[in-house]
Amino acid sequence: MNALAIIGEILVLIGTFFYFLSALGLIRMPDVYNRMQTSTKSATLGSLGVMIGVGLWALGSSFGSVAWLTKTIVIAVFLLLTNPISAHALIRAAYKSGIPLWHGSVVDKYHEYIASKTGAENAEETAEEVSE
Amino acid sequence: MEEAGKISRYLYTVIVLFLIWLFLTASTDPQELAMGLVFSLLIGAFTYPIFTTRGLANLHPRRVAYAIAYVPYFLWAMIMANLDVAYRVLHPARPIRPGIVHCKTVLKTNPGKLALANSITLTPGTITLDVDGENYFIHWIWVPDEVLHAESDEEHVERASSSITAPFEKFLRVIFG
């Protein structure tokens, strides 16, 4: 039973390491889009590691029961399904409200697509909005 | 997409709700199970029209098998994504070359598109910015050379899709149709 506790502790450690990376990414990345990249991915996997780790840890120690593990699994699945959606909503809202890409960005197909969809006369307006 | 009968959709909702109840209580006490069944039947009656359009057809053995096989595949992709993020964050030169690329998908159903968008967001270097019909717009943290130097738009879409959406579609096409 003790092996489970050790695996759980290691998972929690890995999870906190990814939390740290997520926070570091927020500082190091140049614009909102790249920050979303690092924070979403690392925070999701970090949370999964911490939650499943706590479940296994409780299973391996004397105070725990299997109820811990099943509850953490439910929470982990819920987080796994909802976290990317919130990231998508945030990044889309950022783009729609006209936050510019980083100057090092190489390609922006979405802007071309919006321009082609709204028609030639509106395209210039959209371009101005985005550049502001 | 064809719609399943009301009873089939209702039963599917109740099954999913009851499974969640089982996991949350983690108890096989008959009283708990009975209460869970009652609540599942009640909540299912209110929510089944918005929960599912295909009903019990979701529990086809082939779909369930592919869904189970998808879990380790997806988790592996997610771990790779985080090692990728770790490399980009910790590297002193910060090797990023971001851009928004255009992909197309072969999936037809809305749940399938949602699952694909979620999978893209959690895998290496990509995050879904917008979905419009079959068009996906994806912010890529490192746009590779072969996509960047594509001559035409069609070539760009084809190359981007083959490296972003195609690996998941072979699973999701079976799971969600």
Side-chain angles (χ1 to χ4, degrees):
Chain A
M1 286 302 271
N2 224 352
L4 278 176
I6 293 169
I7 294 172
E9 285 171 30
I10 291 171
L11 276 177
V12 171
L13 257 182
I14 295 174
T16 46
F17 173 67
F18 281 120
Y19 276 146
F20 168 71
L21 279 183
S22 159
L24 191 64
L26 280 180
I27 299 169
R28 288 211 67 196
M29 289 296 152
D31 72 352
V32 64
Y33 304 99
N34 292 304
R35 285 188 189 130
M36 293 298 301
Q37 294 258 16
T38 57
S39 60
T40 311
K41 290 184 227 303
S42 301
T44 311
L45 190 76
S47 309
L48 281 193
V50 169
M51 284 170 192
I52 303 296
V54 165
L56 288 176
W57 196 349
L59 204 61
S61 17
S62 52
F63 64 88
S65 68
V66 76
W68 280 78
L69 186 60
T70 57
K71 277 185 186 112
T72 52
I73 286 175
V74 170
I75 300 168
V77 169
F78 181 74
L79 196 90
L80 193 63
L81 292 178
T82 51
N83 221 353
I85 299 175
S86 69
H88 163 71
L90 282 174
I91 196 170
R92 188 166 180 272
Y95 196 97
K96 296 276 180 192
S97 57
I99 296 175
L101 291 173
W102 182 46
H103 59 81
S105 303
V106 286
V107 58
D108 187 355
K109 289 283 171 186
Y110 189 45
H111 181 223
E112 295 169 23
Y113 179 77
I114 292 176
S116 71
K117 210 178 166 190
T118 51
E121 69 273 22
N122 293 336
E124 283 157 21
E125 271 175 44
T126 326
E128 279 163 23
E129 276 169 28
V130 169
S131 63
E132 281 163 14
Chain B
M1 191 176 57
E2 79 285 6
E3 243 181 49
K6 275 187 178 178
I7 294 178
S8 157
R9 289 158 66 195
Y10 178 55
L11 282 179
Y12 177 69
T13 314
V14 169
I15 288 171
V16 171
L17 287 171
F18 191 60
L19 275 179
I20 297 173
W21 174 273
L22 277 184
F23 269 85
L24 274 178
T25 55
S27 152
T28 50
D29 184 359
Q31 281 187 353
E32 295 248 22
L33 293 186
M35 251 358 253
L37 196 58
V38 168
F39 282 130
S40 304
L41 290 168
L42 251 176
I43 298 171
F46 289 116
T47 56
Y48 80 92
I50 53 170
F51 183 64
T52 173
T53 54
R54 213 165 44 191
L56 289 173
N58 280 323
L59 296 176
H60 190 282
R62 196 167 127 84
R63 284 195 176 124
V64 174
Y66 266 76
I68 292 170
Y70 184 62
V71 170
Y73 180 82
F74 175 71
L75 284 180
W76 177 248
M78 217 174 132
I79 291 166
M80 288 331 272
N82 279 277
L83 296 180
D84 181 71
V85 166
Y87 165 72
R88 291 190 198 289
V89 170
L90 295 176
H91 195 286
R94 200 179 59 189
I96 59 171
R97 188 166 75 189
I100 297 171
V101 298
H102 183 182
C103 288
K104 284 207 160 93
T105 181
V106 296
L107 297 173
K108 297 276 178 280
T109 61
N110 283 336
K113 283 176 185 167
L114 172 68
L116 181 60
N118 274 0
S119 305
I120 288 169
T121 301
L122 290 174
T123 48
T126 49
I127 187 165
T128 312
L129 202 141
D130 200 2
V131 182
D132 186 11
E134 55 165 17
N135 302 300
Y136 275 68
F137 294 92
I138 290 158
H139 186 270
W140 208 343
I141 203 167
W142 180 264
V143 182
D145 287 331
E146 74 264 20
V147 177
L148 188 57
H149 300 304
E151 271 117 37
S152 62
D153 273 356
E154 289 77 35
E155 207 182 341
H156 168 92
V157 168
E158 190 184 313
R159 285 177 173 173
S161 304
S162 72
S163 57
I164 296 180
T165 58
F168 297 111
E169 275 173 354
K170 59 179 187 264
F171 286 94
L172 294 176
R173 207 167 42 205
V174 179
I175 300 172
F176 295 104

